[in-house]
Amino acid sequence: MKVLITGGAGFIGSHLAKYLLEENHHITIIDTFSDYYDVTRKKEHLEQIQTIGEFYLETFDLRDEVKTLRHFRENSYDAVIHLAALPGVQYSITHPHEYIDHDIKAVVNVLRAAGETGVPHVVFGSSSSVYGDVEGPVREDQAEGKVKSPYAAAKSGAESFCHAYSSLYGFKLSILRFFTVYGPWGRPDMAIPLFIKKILNGEKIEIYGRDQSRDFTYIDDIVRGIFLSLHQQTESEVFNLGNGQPIELQRLIDLLVDHFPDAKIVDRPFRKGDVKHTWSDIHKAQEQLGYHPEIDINEGLRRTIAWAKKYYE
Ligand code: UGA
């Protein structure tokens, strides 16, 4: 299969590229190397992909409608996996317009270009944040648009554009809602990678509410879920890709202290924009895709810490 991964130099995209290369797919990556986090890290991601196999790389900004359409006209893809995005809940509160540009406008450009050039399948990387504040495990039909941050609003809006363009052009659509993905090469601004890095540096970690909980999901499970949606999905669908077993941040701290007894922790007030809890109901992905997350938080954290020690030391 010829597959385009937008945001392929990012955390999830680079793991996915490696997996798809191992499965003998032809991979093109479009990435603009935004500096939301260290660009050097993204270059290292690409080096990691190169250890597995060859791929095509295009460096341009998907907010550019003309360049995007031209790229799609010059290439033909069996599937497009749109992972390029400006992430980060807190940054979106101070920079909302950037999210309209990166997380909606660029999505529309990709959807339209894919539709115009007859791409049969578009996969969109969405987020658990579209559920807002909800208690208990959430099913895919429980997203009502009552979100808590501009980031989540952009993801929620982008999902609507996905439905609109799938309806207009007839391509198969997969909306995959990821739940707080972590693992080796994890996005450095997210809690688990940030905590591990700070502990290794002897710095204090800050906790914005120990009673918050997250359905932390290991990267290999997410990548496998995306792969399954490429190969098993017959109709347009929305799927939660989570672990299905959330933990409170207190539990995360306890696990980290098991690994690093000297970890220094400071409590801070809860931050507006964050949701208190996430918890995916993954029955739909289990039944329709055969998605079964395999790595629990103990094993996932062990692997992530082992990677971080090697990477930083
Ligand atoms: C993350 C990503 O940042 C989003 O891009 C993504 O869409 C979302 O997951 C998702 O999967 O839906 P979040 O769940 O808030 O958002 O993940 P983290 O930034 O890793 O935070 C996890 C938890 O740790 C939150 O409760 C947060 O308040 C807390 N946290 C984070 C701290 O207590 N201290 C910190 O220094 C950072």
Side-chain angles (χ1 to χ4, degrees):
M1 252 172 128
K2 278 187 79 179
V3 181
L4 169 65
I5 306 174
T6 71
F11 165 46
I12 299 175
S14 56
H15 278 275
L16 177 67
K18 284 190 274 183
Y19 190 93
L20 294 183
L21 282 172
E22 276 168 353
E23 297 288 329
N24 296 316
H25 292 300
H26 296 275
I27 302 299
T28 298
I29 286 173
I30 299 178
D31 206 292
T32 184
F33 293 93
S34 97
D35 61 1
Y36 174 79
Y37 64 85
D38 191 0
V39 174
T40 314
R41 170 64 80 83
K42 296 181 183 176
K43 302 223 161 105
E44 289 168 346
H45 291 162
L46 294 184
E47 286 165 16
Q48 290 299 310
I49 306 171
Q50 263 154 1
T51 64
I52 308 294
E54 291 299 314
F55 61 95
Y56 299 98
L57 174 66
E58 293 267 359
T59 309
F60 69 89
D61 194 324
L62 292 162
R63 289 174 298 176
D64 186 327
E65 188 181 359
V66 174
K67 280 189 186 160
T68 304
L69 187 56
R70 189 185 305 141
H71 176 88
F72 276 79
R73 287 208 195 285
E74 289 168 359
N75 296 274
S76 79
Y77 294 113
D78 300 305
V80 172
I81 304 172
H82 183 65
L83 301 176
L86 186 58
V89 171
Q90 292 300 316
Y91 186 77
S92 79
I93 298 170
T94 46
H95 300 77
H97 298 104
E98 291 186 35
Y99 288 77
I100 296 169
D101 285 351
H102 286 281
D103 291 1
I104 296 187
K105 187 178 173 189
V107 180
V108 171
N109 289 345
V110 168
L111 292 166
R112 216 170 152 196
E116 284 293 324
T117 57
V119 175
H121 189 182
V122 176
V123 180
F124 175 64
S126 189
S127 159
S128 69
S129 62
V130 300
Y131 291 109
D133 257 330
V134 279
E135 297 278 333
V138 281
R139 286 187 323 268
E140 288 79 356
D141 59 4
Q142 284 177 273
E144 294 172 355
K146 292 183 187 158
V147 295
K148 309 292 283 188
S149 67
Y151 167 76
K155 283 291 184 185
S156 181
E159 285 195 3
S160 291
F161 278 102
C162 286
H163 290 296
Y165 281 97
S166 171
S167 164
L168 286 169
Y169 289 103
F171 54 71
K172 184 166 64 182
L173 172 67
S174 312
I175 292 179
L176 306 179
R177 295 182 182 143
F178 307 141
F179 282 69
T180 318
V181 188
Y182 74 102
W185 302 98
R187 228 179 67 211
D189 61 311
M190 286 178 66
I192 289 180
L194 185 67
F195 291 168
I196 296 171
K197 185 182 175 188
K198 284 190 167 179
I199 294 170
L200 289 172
N201 285 341
E203 295 168 36
K204 294 177 187 147
I205 61 174
E206 299 179 305
I207 307 290
Y208 304 106
R210 294 177 187 235
D211 59 343
Q212 290 193 73
S213 59
R214 285 292 181 274
D215 192 3
F216 292 107
T217 308
Y218 192 70
I219 181 67
D220 292 8
D221 289 323
I222 291 291
V223 164
R224 178 92 190 133
I226 300 171
F227 177 80
L228 289 168
S229 94
L230 267 189
H231 290 281
Q232 303 297 334
Q233 202 179 317
T234 49
E235 304 287 328
S236 290
E237 292 288 356
V238 181
F239 291 106
N240 287 336
L241 292 185
N243 184 53
Q245 295 183 310
I247 57 164
E248 289 198 346
L249 293 190
Q250 179 61 58
R251 172 91 184 117
L252 176 64
I253 296 169
D254 293 343
L255 292 171
L256 285 169
V257 169
D258 287 344
H259 287 271
F260 304 104
D262 297 332
K264 300 192 242 345
I265 298 137
V266 194
D267 287 290
R268 302 276 186 224
F270 176 74
R271 299 180 300 185
K272 271 193 173 170
D274 281 345
V275 295
K276 285 240 160 79
H277 308 286
T278 66
W279 183 353
S280 62
D281 180 325
I282 53 174
H283 283 97
K284 187 174 170 188
Q286 282 174 328
E287 282 154 23
Q288 295 190 25
L289 301 179
Y291 166 76
H292 297 285
E294 288 175 358
I295 308 297
D296 69 10
I297 187 73
N298 298 298
E299 176 60 13
L301 212 50
R302 195 189 62 70
R303 292 186 193 185
T304 309
I305 290 169
W307 169 81
K309 281 185 171 166
K310 222 167 131 193
Y311 180 76
Y312 290 113
E313 281 166 10

